[in-house]
Amino acid sequence: MKTSAKNYIITIRMSDAPQDLISEIKQLISLQCEGEYWDFKREWHHNKAELLHDILCLANSRYIGNKFLIFGVGESNTKKHFAVCGVKVRDKNRKDTKDLDDFLSARDFVGGLRPLVHVERIKINRKQVDVVIIEPSNNVPFVLASDYLDQPEKEAPKTIRCGNLYTRVADKNTPINKTADNDIAELLWRRRFRIDATPLDKLVSYLSSPDDWPPLNAGLENEFAYYYKYDPEYRLYFSLEETSEEDFLGKNWIVGTANYSTIKFMLYDTVIEIYEYNSANKLEYSFIRPLFVPLGETYVEPLMMAYYIEGSPQHCLSNFIREKFMNQLTGFREEDPLREQNIIVFQSEEEKEEFTKYAKEIACSFILPQIWSLVDENKGPKWDREDYTDWVSTKVLKTVYIGWKNNH
């Protein structure tokens, strides 16, 4: 029976999806202890206040990365040994991602900032294990703005207190009736306000508010600049001089060329980093040069991918200039940017590596035939074969990524 490309993609993706997570959870179980970013539970909580307490403690731990609340793993009754016991499939307290999202959304958090979580269901030793993954965030500490009490039938009530900071140190949670020590609270607030962040990390945070960057009189004819009004030593200098020729992405503009100019990120008088942006047609069309990676030589052509990592300086700058240049000069804004058909925005380096592995697996059977067909049929006179192949390759890979992501 012939398998469609769509079904083929789904089959590959779904079979590979949980393997990294399974390996990580198995590794944590093998350590035979709990830790700063993982906690084992034999079953789902009866009392939702206790569930919220565990989530808050993990979310506010000092560890930077994913944290795991793992259900279906517990200690033996006879000795301290962690083993997979599995969750009850029909447990009325069991929750999925939507259940947890609805539960957290209904709670009153200070500043409206709450942990982001999702649930993955995996099998280990043929037993069902539920993993609540608490995503990393700099918006710590997460604190309730009003008390939350829950009292299941025939059980003692439990209350999460307004203003209490719950965290996790080593394998110990802050008791539900107490708040964290001042040194932990200070560390988390320093992370929230990026006090200990590098200049690039601070830049990424500042770029999320384009309206807070007023223009700066740079004093040079071929340059314009912006500064961050709450931290004026952070400045971006945009050159209007073309410093490098267009790449294959720039050849598909409707009007004009797309040669690149530089952006200097400066802190005081020090150049921290230099980026490139296209300067086509008096800024009406603008984007940051993405990162490119060939996925290895194939039969005839390389497989080229163009991408940003979400939250990286390149990605944040691209969003920034789209907003800042929107009404620049002519007030014209590109309504349907062709470049966005080609540039993938990965959520993380890990996601990029996972997709790269997947793309290589189906390159010869699925991706390359599409590329060759498009190159042979549609190459226009302004293109040479190498550039057009790269342009088509990035576009096809973006389409494949969307399908892969939707079935993740």
Side-chain angles (χ1 to χ4, degrees):
M1 184 175 77
K2 185 176 180 180
T3 304
S4 70
K6 181 178 180 181
N7 289 335
Y8 177 68
I9 292 176
I10 292 173
T11 301
I12 293 287
R13 179 67 200 128
M14 293 302 289
S15 63
D16 288 349
Q19 291 306 314
D20 289 344
L21 180 61
I22 291 172
S23 297
E24 186 164 10
I25 300 304
K26 283 183 175 179
Q27 173 64 22
L28 294 177
I29 296 171
S30 73
L31 296 176
Q32 286 300 300
C33 64
E34 295 174 317
E36 191 169 31
Y37 66 91
W38 73 98
D39 191 3
F40 296 128
K41 300 291 177 185
R42 296 186 66 87
E43 61 183 7
W44 282 83
H45 302 75
H46 293 197
N47 190 307
K48 293 192 287 293
E50 292 182 338
L51 170 62
L52 180 58
H53 176 247
D54 280 334
I55 290 174
L56 287 175
C57 287
L58 284 165
N60 287 329
S61 80
R62 293 172 295 180
Y63 178 79
I64 300 175
N66 285 332
K67 294 88 177 273
F68 305 103
L69 185 54
I70 305 163
F71 294 95
V73 177
E75 287 182 281
S76 164
N77 293 327
T78 56
K79 59 180 180 179
K80 191 171 183 178
H81 176 77
F82 288 101
V84 178
C85 56
V87 297
K88 296 177 181 178
V89 175
R90 298 185 182 276
D91 183 357
K92 66 179 182 179
N93 299 305
R94 196 179 184 200
K95 292 176 173 53
D96 58 20
T97 298
K98 185 179 184 306
D99 295 330
L100 276 186
D101 187 61
D102 290 345
F103 172 65
L104 292 174
S105 296
R107 307 285 73 80
D108 185 15
F109 282 91
V110 172
L113 298 171
R114 61 184 178 87
L116 298 178
V117 306
H118 64 279
V119 180
E120 293 285 350
R121 293 177 173 175
I122 61 177
K123 282 192 175 181
I124 299 178
N125 300 338
R126 298 185 179 181
K127 295 179 180 179
Q128 189 78 49
V129 174
D130 293 346
V131 184
V132 176
I133 300 176
I134 300 155
E135 300 174 13
S137 173
N138 286 321
N139 290 325
V140 290
F142 298 105
V143 176
L144 287 189
S146 59
D147 287 354
Y148 173 69
L149 178 147
D150 189 38
Q151 184 178 11
E153 186 178 354
K154 298 180 181 180
E155 292 189 20
K158 295 291 177 67
T159 303
I160 303 297
R161 294 297 180 187
C162 161
N164 278 22
L165 197 167
Y166 300 100
T167 188
R168 186 173 177 88
V169 178
D171 61 347
K172 303 297 183 184
N173 286 345
T174 305
I176 200 167
N177 61 341
K178 295 185 179 181
T179 190
D181 293 337
N182 287 338
D183 60 333
I184 301 296
E186 179 184 349
L187 185 149
L188 294 175
W189 281 110
R190 291 178 71 89
R191 191 197 302 176
R192 164 82 72 91
F193 293 116
R194 315 296 195 269
I195 292 174
D196 300 321
T198 66
L200 277 177
D201 287 338
K202 288 185 178 181
L203 175 66
V204 165
S205 176
Y206 296 163
L207 287 172
S208 64
S209 303
D211 290 342
D212 292 335
W213 289 77
L216 173 71
N217 183 8
L220 296 176
E221 182 178 347
N222 292 320
E223 189 174 65
F224 64 97
Y226 298 97
Y227 71 96
Y228 185 60
K229 66 181 181 181
Y230 299 113
D231 211 346
E233 62 268 26
Y234 280 75
R235 302 178 179 188
L236 295 170
Y237 290 86
F238 290 76
S239 171
L240 292 172
E241 295 181 348
E242 296 177 353
T243 54
S244 60
E245 294 183 359
E246 64 184 6
D247 52 35
F248 61 88
L249 284 182
K251 286 192 175 183
N252 207 47
W253 298 119
I254 299 173
V255 180
T257 62
N259 294 335
Y260 286 94
S261 301
T262 60
I263 304 172
K264 289 188 294 185
F265 163 41
M266 296 189 67
L267 184 56
Y268 296 103
D269 294 326
T270 302
V271 177
I272 303 297
E273 193 63 82
I274 296 177
Y275 303 97
E276 288 186 300
Y277 76 106
N278 83 298
S279 54
N281 236 35
K282 297 182 180 179
L283 308 182
E284 290 106 333
Y285 301 85
S286 300
F287 72 106
I288 302 298
R289 188 195 289 270
L291 302 172
F292 297 102
V293 59
L295 304 187
E297 294 290 332
T298 53
Y299 291 118
V300 179
E301 311 288 356
L303 195 60
M304 183 65 72
M305 183 169 71
Y307 70 96
Y308 301 127
I309 301 296
E310 185 175 353
S312 67
Q314 291 90 341
H315 178 235
C316 293
L317 271 172
S318 193
N319 292 335
F320 175 83
I321 65 175
R322 184 162 59 241
E323 296 299 319
K324 297 302 284 188
F325 296 176
M326 180 175 176
N327 297 311
Q328 186 90 10
L329 301 178
T330 63
F332 177 81
R333 180 179 179 180
E334 182 185 8
E335 294 182 359
D336 183 23
L338 292 172
R339 65 179 181 277
E340 293 185 1
Q341 300 175 13
N342 301 70
I343 302 175
I344 299 172
V345 180
F346 291 109
Q347 289 186 332
S348 64
E349 283 284 351
E350 292 74 18
E351 186 187 63
K352 187 203 79 174
E353 293 301 319
E354 191 177 356
F355 175 73
T356 297
K357 177 182 177 182
Y358 166 71
K360 288 180 177 180
E361 289 175 351
I362 66 167
C364 293
S365 60
F366 181 62
I367 299 176
L368 283 169
Q370 292 188 58
I371 294 173
W372 291 333
S373 175
L374 290 169
V375 169
D376 291 338
E377 292 177 8
N378 300 316
K379 184 172 76 69
K382 67 178 180 180
W383 296 93
D384 59 39
R385 182 179 177 86
E386 181 179 356
D387 278 353
Y388 191 65
T389 301
D390 285 341
W391 191 88
V392 170
S393 173
T394 55
K395 182 176 179 180
V396 169
L397 279 169
K398 174 68 178 284
T399 302
V400 172
Y401 169 75
I402 292 171
W404 176 84
K405 185 71 174 176
N406 288 339
N407 292 291
H408 192 283

mmCIF file of all heavy atoms in Angstrom, residues 363-393:
data_model
loop_
_atom_site.group_PDB
_atom_site.id
_atom_site.type_symbol
_atom_site.label_atom_id
_atom_site.label_comp_id
_atom_site.label_asym_id
_atom_site.label_seq_id
_atom_site.Cartn_x
_atom_site.Cartn_y
_atom_site.Cartn_z
ATOM 1 N N ALA A 363 15.361 13.026 3.877
ATOM 2 C CA ALA A 363 15.853 13.896 2.800
ATOM 3 C C ALA A 363 15.745 13.223 1.436
ATOM 4 O O ALA A 363 15.158 13.784 0.499
ATOM 5 C CB ALA A 363 17.289 14.319 3.086
ATOM 6 N N CYS A 364 16.307 12.045 1.309
ATOM 7 C CA CYS A 364 16.372 11.399 -0.005
ATOM 8 C C CYS A 364 14.995 10.938 -0.491
ATOM 9 O O CYS A 364 14.702 10.994 -1.681
ATOM 10 C CB CYS A 364 17.328 10.212 0.050
ATOM 11 S SG CYS A 364 19.050 10.701 0.302
ATOM 12 N N SER A 365 14.150 10.501 0.429
ATOM 13 C CA SER A 365 12.867 9.929 0.017
ATOM 14 C C SER A 365 11.771 10.974 -0.169
ATOM 15 O O SER A 365 10.827 10.750 -0.928
ATOM 16 C CB SER A 365 12.400 8.903 1.057
ATOM 17 O OG SER A 365 12.245 9.534 2.319
ATOM 18 N N PHE A 366 11.906 12.114 0.506
ATOM 19 C CA PHE A 366 10.779 13.045 0.500
ATOM 20 C C PHE A 366 11.176 14.490 0.179
ATOM 21 O O PHE A 366 10.555 15.145 -0.658
ATOM 22 C CB PHE A 366 10.071 12.992 1.861
ATOM 23 C CG PHE A 366 8.874 13.889 1.970
ATOM 24 C CD1 PHE A 366 7.775 13.714 1.138
ATOM 25 C CD2 PHE A 366 8.842 14.913 2.894
ATOM 26 C CE1 PHE A 366 6.663 14.551 1.236
ATOM 27 C CE2 PHE A 366 7.738 15.751 2.999
ATOM 28 C CZ PHE A 366 6.646 15.566 2.166
ATOM 29 N N ILE A 367 12.217 15.021 0.821
ATOM 30 C CA ILE A 367 12.537 16.446 0.680
ATOM 31 C C ILE A 367 13.231 16.747 -0.646
ATOM 32 O O ILE A 367 12.824 17.639 -1.387
ATOM 33 C CB ILE A 367 13.401 16.928 1.863
ATOM 34 C CG1 ILE A 367 12.644 16.754 3.175
ATOM 35 C CG2 ILE A 367 13.796 18.395 1.676
ATOM 36 C CD1 ILE A 367 13.442 17.122 4.410
ATOM 37 N N LEU A 368 14.279 16.016 -0.952
ATOM 38 C CA LEU A 368 15.053 16.318 -2.163
ATOM 39 C C LEU A 368 14.246 16.187 -3.456
ATOM 40 O O LEU A 368 14.406 17.018 -4.356
ATOM 41 C CB LEU A 368 16.296 15.439 -2.215
ATOM 42 C CG LEU A 368 17.413 15.897 -1.272
ATOM 43 C CD1 LEU A 368 18.492 14.839 -1.173
ATOM 44 C CD2 LEU A 368 18.003 17.212 -1.738
ATOM 45 N N PRO A 369 13.362 15.172 -3.597
ATOM 46 C CA PRO A 369 12.552 15.130 -4.824
ATOM 47 C C PRO A 369 11.725 16.400 -5.029
ATOM 48 O O PRO A 369 11.568 16.856 -6.166
ATOM 49 C CB PRO A 369 11.658 13.898 -4.596
ATOM 50 C CG PRO A 369 12.468 13.004 -3.715
ATOM 51 C CD PRO A 369 13.195 13.938 -2.788
ATOM 52 N N GLN A 370 11.197 16.985 -3.943
ATOM 53 C CA GLN A 370 10.453 18.243 -4.080
ATOM 54 C C GLN A 370 11.368 19.369 -4.550
ATOM 55 O O GLN A 370 11.004 20.165 -5.426
ATOM 56 C CB GLN A 370 9.844 18.637 -2.731
ATOM 57 C CG GLN A 370 8.745 17.731 -2.241
ATOM 58 C CD GLN A 370 8.091 18.317 -1.005
ATOM 59 O OE1 GLN A 370 7.571 19.425 -1.025
ATOM 60 N NE2 GLN A 370 8.133 17.562 0.090
ATOM 61 N N ILE A 371 12.551 19.445 -3.961
ATOM 62 C CA ILE A 371 13.489 20.513 -4.322
ATOM 63 C C ILE A 371 13.899 20.399 -5.780
ATOM 64 O O ILE A 371 13.872 21.374 -6.532
ATOM 65 C CB ILE A 371 14.727 20.469 -3.403
ATOM 66 C CG1 ILE A 371 14.313 20.802 -1.958
ATOM 67 C CG2 ILE A 371 15.816 21.424 -3.886
ATOM 68 C CD1 ILE A 371 15.421 20.613 -0.943
ATOM 69 N N TRP A 372 14.284 19.207 -6.207
ATOM 70 C CA TRP A 372 14.724 19.025 -7.590
ATOM 71 C C TRP A 372 13.613 19.377 -8.569
ATOM 72 O O TRP A 372 13.857 19.982 -9.607
ATOM 73 C CB TRP A 372 15.186 17.577 -7.802
ATOM 74 C CG TRP A 372 16.448 17.247 -7.069
ATOM 75 C CD1 TRP A 372 17.447 18.116 -6.714
ATOM 76 C CD2 TRP A 372 16.835 15.967 -6.575
ATOM 77 N NE1 TRP A 372 18.430 17.451 -6.034
ATOM 78 C CE2 TRP A 372 18.092 16.121 -5.929
ATOM 79 C CE3 TRP A 372 16.259 14.708 -6.607
ATOM 80 C CZ2 TRP A 372 18.770 15.065 -5.334
ATOM 81 C CZ3 TRP A 372 16.942 13.651 -6.015
ATOM 82 C CH2 TRP A 372 18.175 13.839 -5.396
ATOM 83 N N SER A 373 12.382 18.978 -8.243
ATOM 84 C CA SER A 373 11.254 19.268 -9.127
ATOM 85 C C SER A 373 11.053 20.775 -9.278
ATOM 86 O O SER A 373 10.875 21.283 -10.386
ATOM 87 C CB SER A 373 9.984 18.613 -8.584
ATOM 88 O OG SER A 373 8.866 18.982 -9.350
ATOM 89 N N LEU A 374 11.088 21.502 -8.178
ATOM 90 C CA LEU A 374 10.885 22.953 -8.223
ATOM 91 C C LEU A 374 12.031 23.663 -8.938
ATOM 92 O O LEU A 374 11.826 24.604 -9.700
ATOM 93 C CB LEU A 374 10.735 23.508 -6.798
ATOM 94 C CG LEU A 374 9.432 23.128 -6.085
ATOM 95 C CD1 LEU A 374 9.515 23.499 -4.612
ATOM 96 C CD2 LEU A 374 8.240 23.812 -6.742
ATOM 97 N N VAL A 375 13.242 23.205 -8.713
ATOM 98 C CA VAL A 375 14.403 23.827 -9.354
ATOM 99 C C VAL A 375 14.343 23.632 -10.860
ATOM 100 O O VAL A 375 14.574 24.573 -11.638
ATOM 101 C CB VAL A 375 15.713 23.253 -8.776
ATOM 102 C CG1 VAL A 375 16.909 23.690 -9.619
ATOM 103 C CG2 VAL A 375 15.897 23.712 -7.335
ATOM 104 N N ASP A 376 14.018 22.433 -11.294
ATOM 105 C CA ASP A 376 13.995 22.143 -12.731
ATOM 106 C C ASP A 376 12.859 22.864 -13.453
ATOM 107 O O ASP A 376 12.992 23.253 -14.615
ATOM 108 C CB ASP A 376 13.859 20.630 -12.955
ATOM 109 C CG ASP A 376 15.116 19.881 -12.530
ATOM 110 O OD1 ASP A 376 16.187 20.533 -12.483
ATOM 111 O OD2 ASP A 376 15.021 18.684 -12.237
ATOM 112 N N GLU A 377 11.730 23.078 -12.761
ATOM 113 C CA GLU A 377 10.553 23.618 -13.435
ATOM 114 C C GLU A 377 10.463 25.141 -13.407
ATOM 115 O O GLU A 377 9.942 25.757 -14.330
ATOM 116 C CB GLU A 377 9.282 23.038 -12.786
ATOM 117 C CG GLU A 377 9.096 21.545 -13.037
ATOM 118 C CD GLU A 377 7.875 21.009 -12.322
ATOM 119 O OE1 GLU A 377 7.119 21.834 -11.766
ATOM 120 O OE2 GLU A 377 7.673 19.781 -12.314
ATOM 121 N N ASN A 378 10.989 25.779 -12.344
ATOM 122 C CA ASN A 378 10.633 27.178 -12.108
ATOM 123 C C ASN A 378 11.804 28.158 -12.038
ATOM 124 O O ASN A 378 11.596 29.332 -11.736
ATOM 125 C CB ASN A 378 9.834 27.285 -10.796
ATOM 126 C CG ASN A 378 8.562 26.457 -10.844
ATOM 127 O OD1 ASN A 378 7.856 26.478 -11.825
ATOM 128 N ND2 ASN A 378 8.296 25.714 -9.781
ATOM 129 N N LYS A 379 13.006 27.733 -12.243
ATOM 130 C CA LYS A 379 14.142 28.631 -12.100
ATOM 131 C C LYS A 379 14.066 29.766 -13.139
ATOM 132 O O LYS A 379 13.993 29.535 -14.324
ATOM 133 C CB LYS A 379 15.461 27.883 -12.263
ATOM 134 C CG LYS A 379 16.700 28.775 -12.035
ATOM 135 C CD LYS A 379 17.974 27.957 -12.020
ATOM 136 C CE LYS A 379 18.369 27.554 -13.424
ATOM 137 N NZ LYS A 379 18.801 28.714 -14.208
ATOM 138 N N GLY A 380 14.056 31.026 -12.642
ATOM 139 C CA GLY A 380 13.969 32.184 -13.528
ATOM 140 C C GLY A 380 15.331 32.636 -14.007
ATOM 141 O O GLY A 380 16.372 32.157 -13.543
ATOM 142 N N PRO A 381 15.371 33.617 -14.917
ATOM 143 C CA PRO A 381 16.636 34.043 -15.513
ATOM 144 C C PRO A 381 17.571 34.762 -14.532
ATOM 145 O O PRO A 381 18.777 34.801 -14.761
ATOM 146 C CB PRO A 381 16.189 34.987 -16.642
ATOM 147 C CG PRO A 381 14.823 35.459 -16.217
ATOM 148 C CD PRO A 381 14.210 34.302 -15.501
ATOM 149 N N LYS A 382 17.038 35.354 -13.457
ATOM 150 C CA LYS A 382 17.907 36.096 -12.538
ATOM 151 C C LYS A 382 18.678 35.175 -11.577
ATOM 152 O O LYS A 382 19.555 35.624 -10.857
ATOM 153 C CB LYS A 382 17.089 37.099 -11.719
ATOM 154 C CG LYS A 382 16.109 36.487 -10.741
ATOM 155 C CD LYS A 382 15.390 37.590 -9.952
ATOM 156 C CE LYS A 382 14.387 36.995 -8.962
ATOM 157 N NZ LYS A 382 13.697 38.039 -8.191
ATOM 158 N N TRP A 383 18.330 33.911 -11.579
ATOM 159 C CA TRP A 383 18.945 32.979 -10.643
ATOM 160 C C TRP A 383 20.039 32.151 -11.319
ATOM 161 O O TRP A 383 19.886 31.747 -12.468
ATOM 162 C CB TRP A 383 17.909 31.994 -10.111
ATOM 163 C CG TRP A 383 16.803 32.597 -9.304
ATOM 164 C CD1 TRP A 383 15.586 33.014 -9.757
ATOM 165 C CD2 TRP A 383 16.799 32.836 -7.901
ATOM 166 N NE1 TRP A 383 14.822 33.492 -8.731
ATOM 167 C CE2 TRP A 383 15.539 33.390 -7.566
ATOM 168 C CE3 TRP A 383 17.731 32.630 -6.887
ATOM 169 C CZ2 TRP A 383 15.199 33.739 -6.275
ATOM 170 C CZ3 TRP A 383 17.377 32.976 -5.590
ATOM 171 C CH2 TRP A 383 16.132 33.534 -5.296
ATOM 172 N N ASP A 384 21.101 31.834 -10.590
ATOM 173 C CA ASP A 384 21.939 30.712 -11.006
ATOM 174 C C ASP A 384 21.437 29.483 -10.238
ATOM 175 O O ASP A 384 20.691 29.593 -9.261
ATOM 176 C CB ASP A 384 23.424 30.967 -10.741
ATOM 177 C CG ASP A 384 23.733 31.226 -9.272
ATOM 178 O OD1 ASP A 384 23.137 30.561 -8.406
ATOM 179 O OD2 ASP A 384 24.554 32.112 -8.983
ATOM 180 N N ARG A 385 21.825 28.325 -10.705
ATOM 181 C CA ARG A 385 21.241 27.089 -10.145
ATOM 182 C C ARG A 385 21.556 26.939 -8.656
ATOM 183 O O ARG A 385 20.693 26.534 -7.864
ATOM 184 C CB ARG A 385 21.748 25.868 -10.909
ATOM 185 C CG ARG A 385 21.123 24.559 -10.404
ATOM 186 C CD ARG A 385 21.600 23.355 -11.179
ATOM 187 N NE ARG A 385 21.046 22.130 -10.624
ATOM 188 C CZ ARG A 385 19.868 21.625 -10.939
ATOM 189 N NH1 ARG A 385 19.110 22.240 -11.830
ATOM 190 N NH2 ARG A 385 19.442 20.507 -10.388
ATOM 191 N N GLU A 386 22.770 27.292 -8.250
ATOM 192 C CA GLU A 386 23.152 27.106 -6.850
ATOM 193 C C GLU A 386 22.294 27.967 -5.919
ATOM 194 O O GLU A 386 21.759 27.484 -4.913
ATOM 195 C CB GLU A 386 24.626 27.451 -6.658
ATOM 196 C CG GLU A 386 25.111 27.257 -5.224
ATOM 197 C CD GLU A 386 26.579 27.576 -5.053
ATOM 198 O OE1 GLU A 386 27.249 27.880 -6.073
ATOM 199 O OE2 GLU A 386 27.059 27.536 -3.910
ATOM 200 N N ASP A 387 22.138 29.253 -6.241
ATOM 201 C CA ASP A 387 21.339 30.142 -5.403
ATOM 202 C C ASP A 387 19.878 29.719 -5.380
ATOM 203 O O ASP A 387 19.224 29.736 -4.329
ATOM 204 C CB ASP A 387 21.441 31.589 -5.895
ATOM 205 C CG ASP A 387 22.686 32.278 -5.392
ATOM 206 O OD1 ASP A 387 23.392 31.679 -4.555
ATOM 207 O OD2 ASP A 387 22.972 33.409 -5.830
ATOM 208 N N TYR A 388 19.352 29.348 -6.559
ATOM 209 C CA TYR A 388 17.943 28.982 -6.598
ATOM 210 C C TYR A 388 17.693 27.682 -5.829
ATOM 211 O O TYR A 388 16.669 27.526 -5.161
ATOM 212 C CB TYR A 388 17.445 28.856 -8.037
ATOM 213 C CG TYR A 388 15.939 28.749 -8.108
ATOM 214 C CD1 TYR A 388 15.135 29.809 -7.712
ATOM 215 C CD2 TYR A 388 15.318 27.581 -8.536
ATOM 216 C CE1 TYR A 388 13.747 29.718 -7.755
ATOM 217 C CE2 TYR A 388 13.928 27.473 -8.588
ATOM 218 C CZ TYR A 388 13.156 28.552 -8.195
ATOM 219 O OH TYR A 388 11.786 28.453 -8.221
ATOM 220 N N THR A 389 18.635 26.751 -5.920
ATOM 221 C CA THR A 389 18.502 25.513 -5.159
ATOM 222 C C THR A 389 18.483 25.798 -3.661
ATOM 223 O O THR A 389 17.687 25.227 -2.912
ATOM 224 C CB THR A 389 19.648 24.544 -5.494
ATOM 225 O OG1 THR A 389 19.636 24.264 -6.890
ATOM 226 C CG2 THR A 389 19.510 23.242 -4.721
ATOM 227 N N ASP A 390 19.350 26.701 -3.218
ATOM 228 C CA ASP A 390 19.361 27.062 -1.792
ATOM 229 C C ASP A 390 18.052 27.734 -1.391
ATOM 230 O O ASP A 390 17.510 27.461 -0.312
ATOM 231 C CB ASP A 390 20.529 28.008 -1.496
ATOM 232 C CG ASP A 390 21.869 27.292 -1.476
ATOM 233 O OD1 ASP A 390 21.869 26.054 -1.322
ATOM 234 O OD2 ASP A 390 22.906 27.960 -1.601
ATOM 235 N N TRP A 391 17.538 28.630 -2.253
ATOM 236 C CA TRP A 391 16.290 29.323 -1.927
ATOM 237 C C TRP A 391 15.140 28.330 -1.815
ATOM 238 O O TRP A 391 14.361 28.370 -0.867
ATOM 239 C CB TRP A 391 15.982 30.375 -3.000
ATOM 240 C CG TRP A 391 14.866 31.300 -2.598
ATOM 241 C CD1 TRP A 391 14.980 32.458 -1.891
ATOM 242 C CD2 TRP A 391 13.471 31.113 -2.858
ATOM 243 N NE1 TRP A 391 13.731 33.011 -1.689
ATOM 244 C CE2 TRP A 391 12.783 32.211 -2.273
ATOM 245 C CE3 TRP A 391 12.727 30.144 -3.517
ATOM 246 C CZ2 TRP A 391 11.410 32.358 -2.335
ATOM 247 C CZ3 TRP A 391 11.347 30.283 -3.572
ATOM 248 C CH2 TRP A 391 10.697 31.382 -2.986
ATOM 249 N N VAL A 392 15.022 27.426 -2.789
ATOM 250 C CA VAL A 392 13.965 26.420 -2.762
ATOM 251 C C VAL A 392 14.142 25.499 -1.555
ATOM 252 O O VAL A 392 13.177 25.127 -0.878
ATOM 253 C CB VAL A 392 13.952 25.607 -4.071
ATOM 254 C CG1 VAL A 392 13.017 24.403 -3.956
ATOM 255 C CG2 VAL A 392 13.524 26.494 -5.230
ATOM 256 N N SER A 393 15.387 25.133 -1.275
ATOM 257 C CA SER A 393 15.663 24.240 -0.154
ATOM 258 C C SER A 393 15.165 24.821 1.160
ATOM 259 O O SER A 393 14.492 24.135 1.947
ATOM 260 C CB SER A 393 17.171 23.978 -0.064
ATOM 261 O OG SER A 393 17.486 23.248 1.102
#
